[in-house]
Amino acid sequence: MPLHDARIETMDREELRELQLARLQATVANVYENVPYYRKKLEETGVHPSDIKTLEDVRLLPFTDKTALRDTYPFGLFARPLDEVVRLHSSSGTTGKPIVVGYTRNDLDNWTELTARVGAEAGVTAGDRIDMAFLYGMFTGGWGMHYGLEHLGATIIPAGSGNTERHLMMMRDFGTTVLVSTPSYALYLAEVGEKNGYDFAKLPLRVGLFGGEPCSGRLREEIEERLHIIATDNYGLSEVNGPGVAGECTVKNGMHIAEDQFLAEIVDPETGAPLPEGSRGELVLTPLLKEAFPVLRYRTHDLTRIHYEPCACGRTLARMETVRQRTDDMLIIRGVNVFPSQIEDVLLKRDGVKPHYRIVLETVHNLDDLTIQLEVDPGFFSDKMRDMEKTQREIAQAIHSVLGLRSTIQLVEPGTLERTQGKSKKVIDNRIKD
Amino acid sequence: MSVEQLSVFIENKAGRITTVASVLAQAGVNIRGFSVSDSEHFGIVRVIADDPEHGASALEDAGFVVKRSPVIVVNLTDHPGGLAAVLKTISDAGIEVEYIYSLIATYLAFDVEDTERATALLGATDVSLLEQSDLK
């Protein structure tokens, strides 16, 4: 696995920290000078850019939450006039006002560098043909990956999302070797392909670059088995940049954070206090090179752990674990903290169960009622009612032993739960709110 | 010697058994016997057809989960003790019976929500309705 930028990717930690400090100082100066919102914040907390003398001084800076990004819609946090901004992206805004982010020419170049690195980490080279099955449009995923992979010299097939049969046809006819998508779309592609008689073992497809949503180990194994590929995970979010913040190498031992462009901290999600190295907590990111849209200490709400030991691939960049839980997708059911991923783990542990499920919460007799809808799969369907009821009972028992909660396991016909091509909606919360 | 049975998973929603029957009808597959067992939210439709292979692929194409499995089919002698004799052969050997249903679906027993109304509706079609005395 070739290094894309050997100097950065194998940099000695002390040298890297010096680079990060210089860039952090420049970033703080940038927001202080150019973003009134941050100027005010910093003045309120009595912090001046010149107070940032060590990397740990990042803790003097205020956090930025999603709310601030919404409240300043559309351009309130931009540090450059729109004349210097060459691209805008935005979130879908399904839960309020969208978040708009902007990029200068340099920002785009740096971004291209990041996603090229993600590609190189997964072993993508100029010889690859890449099916971009990511949404283009305002979403950062499609365009971000597009430029980086194209920069590596690979052939890009910008198919976008949707029209799965066309993806499959091109995959076969063009000899596609790499798939870029969300993990749930990859699984859907496998499903449609198998149904239409595609033999993935015979297709040249060999690598998947998956991002945009959490991917459990079992889901990844299933994608690897069904598509006959190596699946790698990557991480990013529009608020700090888009895809390319971190990418997994083929050692598959966590995602290498692009620490030259992002300062990563792990904090206690409740208090915001920094946690000791190796602890599990909320990831907080400060982009270090952004000109148009620099944010300070962005609260990602993603829970992970960071490992600093050098990787077997030769990279010294820290590795973050795959994000399976978010502080804001934690459900409180009858007073119990539940992450959807815990339910997914229970389901996927059973033979034949596929990750086509939905968690439905309702209020019944003033109490929270948990139903897990699960699509029946040939892998566990039996002609005997007894077996099916046993499956339901055993899943409910396993959920109970993990979470201490009673649940109803509702078996549904295959293909009836929504397959989204972006982030899939696994939780329907219909509880009555006080 | 065995016969291939198709088992189909359905949700307990109006019209699902109809859909299974229609898919087979459209595929030109003749149902020679079937049973439905149900729980609170779902049911299992078991079908014995003249062309199980074709039937299974038609149902799968329609999006159903189908399981193909062998079952024993016997032709009973139609006199008192006919069923008992067959069951005894199996139970004496200590073999458990999972389920039994009868084939050649020309006589069908239904249990419906509103017996009176369904009877009136069926009476208005060209099917013949049976009474207890017809079974003597």
Side-chain angles (χ1 to χ4, degrees):
Chain A
M1 45 200 131
L3 298 168
H4 181 66
D5 182 342
R7 189 183 74 88
I8 294 290
E9 293 178 80
T10 61
M11 195 176 261
D12 169 75
R13 184 132 299 266
E14 273 317 302
E15 199 186 338
L16 181 64
R17 285 172 58 85
E18 276 168 34
L19 179 72
Q20 287 184 308
L21 176 60
R23 289 180 172 179
L24 177 67
Q25 288 165 333
T27 296
V28 178
N30 182 19
V31 300
Y32 188 81
E33 293 304 321
N34 300 309
V35 185
Y37 170 90
Y38 279 121
R39 174 88 176 223
K40 190 164 163 273
K41 278 260 174 194
L42 289 170
E43 279 173 356
E44 275 167 14
T45 41
V47 178
H48 188 268
S50 61
D51 294 332
I52 307 300
K53 296 191 174 77
T54 72
L55 216 43
E56 282 64 37
D57 291 337
V58 71
R59 295 170 190 170
L60 301 171
L61 301 170
F63 286 120
T64 305
D65 210 333
K66 197 168 246 177
T67 332
L69 274 58
R70 287 210 181 101
D71 292 349
T72 51
Y73 173 89
F75 306 131
L77 287 185
F78 280 33
R80 290 289 181 276
L82 278 215
D83 286 0
E84 288 176 44
V85 170
V86 296
R87 176 97 63 82
L88 294 178
H89 279 290
S90 132
S91 68
S92 57
T94 41
T95 49
K97 271 185 184 161
I99 287 162
V100 180
V101 295
Y103 304 80
T104 63
R105 172 67 55 199
N106 285 337
D107 289 336
L108 286 188
D109 289 345
N110 290 330
W111 190 9
T112 295
E113 194 58 26
L114 293 175
T115 48
R117 229 184 262 174
V118 168
E121 277 157 346
V124 173
T125 68
D128 279 303
R129 292 169 208 176
I130 303 183
D131 178 6
M132 287 291 307
F134 246 160
L135 197 66
Y136 280 82
M138 296 307 286
F139 175 54
T140 51
W143 294 104
M145 293 303 289
H146 178 112
Y147 282 97
L149 299 173
E150 194 173 74
H151 181 72
L152 291 175
T155 309
I156 305 291
I157 305 159
S161 62
N163 204 342
T164 304
E165 292 184 15
R166 186 152 162 255
H167 276 277
L168 289 159
M169 186 198 75
M170 292 196 290
M171 198 167 270
R172 180 193 62 204
D173 298 345
F174 299 173
T176 306
T177 55
V178 177
L179 171 66
V180 180
S181 72
T182 58
S184 56
Y185 187 70
L187 198 60
Y188 179 66
L189 191 85
E191 216 168 81
V192 177
E194 285 159 10
K195 211 170 163 185
N196 287 287
Y198 285 89
D199 181 357
F200 289 105
K202 293 199 179 120
L203 293 182
L205 195 67
R206 61 177 191 85
V207 174
L209 297 175
F210 301 119
E213 62 183 22
C215 184
S216 72
R218 273 294 296 265
L219 176 56
R220 181 215 286 259
E221 279 168 28
E222 167 144 13
I223 292 169
E224 292 191 324
E225 278 166 26
R226 287 171 76 175
L227 288 178
H228 295 265
I229 58 172
I230 297 167
T232 64
D233 200 2
N234 62 77
Y235 177 84
L237 60 169
S238 306
E239 294 86 340
V240 300
N241 196 78
V245 173
E248 193 177 39
C249 68
T250 48
V251 174
K252 294 208 260 192
N253 191 15
M255 299 178 282
H256 290 283
I257 302 171
E259 291 180 281
D260 56 321
Q261 292 203 34
F262 301 93
L263 181 62
E265 301 168 77
I266 295 290
V267 304
D268 180 316
E270 279 174 24
T271 64
L275 293 175
E277 191 175 311
S279 308
R280 186 179 160 71
E282 180 180 346
L283 177 68
V284 170
L285 291 169
T286 304
L288 299 173
L289 280 182
K290 291 284 283 300
E291 293 178 343
F293 197 81
V295 287
L296 299 181
R297 304 186 83 199
Y298 186 70
R299 300 287 296 251
T300 66
H301 292 285
D302 288 327
L303 295 173
T304 185
R305 205 190 311 253
I306 299 179
H307 301 278
Y308 287 90
E309 315 81 65
C311 178
C313 71
R315 289 177 180 84
T316 52
L317 296 177
R319 289 162 288 124
M320 62 180 269
E321 291 179 4
T322 287
V323 175
R324 302 273 338 272
Q325 300 179 343
R326 286 180 52 80
T327 58
D328 53 2
D329 67 14
M330 188 183 81
L331 302 163
I332 302 176
I333 307 173
R334 296 192 179 199
V336 179
N337 293 351
V338 176
F339 288 102
S341 59
Q342 291 176 293
I343 292 174
E344 177 166 310
D345 288 344
V346 168
L347 294 175
L348 294 184
K349 251 182 222 153
R350 283 191 74 88
D351 276 348
V353 173
K354 300 279 187 296
H356 299 313
Y357 68 93
R358 196 158 62 185
I359 298 162
V360 182
L361 296 169
E362 274 161 344
T363 305
V364 178
H365 303 309
N366 299 316
L367 281 175
D368 295 342
D369 184 77
L370 166 64
T371 298
I372 298 158
Q373 299 177 322
L374 176 66
E375 284 187 9
V376 168
D377 186 89
F380 71 91
F381 174 51
S382 163
D383 58 314
K384 295 171 188 65
M385 189 53 85
R386 214 158 25 122
D387 294 348
M388 298 303 279
E389 285 172 343
K390 187 166 167 242
T391 301
Q392 286 179 304
R393 207 169 46 241
E394 286 177 357
I395 294 175
Q397 280 162 357
I399 297 280
H400 188 267
S401 71
V402 172
L403 304 174
L405 284 171
R406 272 200 307 275
S407 60
T408 304
I409 309 302
Q410 186 186 344
L411 300 176
V412 301
E413 288 174 24
T416 52
L417 300 179
E418 191 190 355
R419 306 281 199 282
T420 47
Q421 288 169 349
K423 302 185 180 191
S424 38
K425 291 190 196 86
K426 299 284 195 199
V427 181
I428 308 280
D429 194 344
N430 290 329
R431 284 178 294 184
I432 298 161
K433 308 273 184 312
D434 292 328
Chain B
M1 207 192 310
S2 70
V3 164
E4 189 167 63
Q5 168 187 265
L6 306 180
S7 304
V8 187
F9 177 87
I10 54 163
E11 284 174 47
N12 274 359
K13 285 194 291 201
R16 295 314 283 159
I17 303 179
T18 315
T19 309
V20 170
S22 308
V23 167
L24 293 172
Q26 269 159 28
V29 174
N30 194 10
I31 298 173
R32 307 297 285 160
F34 79 94
S35 84
V36 182
S37 51
D38 67 335
S39 75
E40 194 186 345
H41 293 292
F42 68 90
I44 300 169
V45 180
R46 307 189 185 97
V47 176
I48 290 182
D50 58 348
D51 188 347
E53 175 95 41
H54 189 41
S57 63
L59 287 164
E60 277 165 359
D61 288 349
F64 287 101
V65 171
V66 182
K67 182 180 167 141
R68 298 161 67 165
S69 56
V71 287
I72 300 167
V73 174
V74 296
N75 189 1
L76 292 181
T77 9
D78 191 9
H79 63 72
L83 175 62
V86 171
L87 291 179
K88 194 169 181 311
T89 309
I90 298 171
S91 59
D92 282 354
I95 299 168
E96 259 182 71
V97 175
E98 297 281 354
Y99 51 79
I100 311 182
Y101 57 100
S102 61
L103 300 202
I104 312 297
T106 52
Y107 283 20
L108 280 186
F110 282 81
D111 178 31
V112 297
E113 235 180 305
D114 186 340
T115 309
E116 208 173 313
R117 208 157 69 86
T119 308
L121 286 168
L122 289 169
T125 68
D126 59 358
V127 299
S128 51
L129 289 164
L130 270 64
E131 294 194 48
Q132 194 64 48
S133 58
D134 294 323
L135 299 170
K136 277 186 178 158

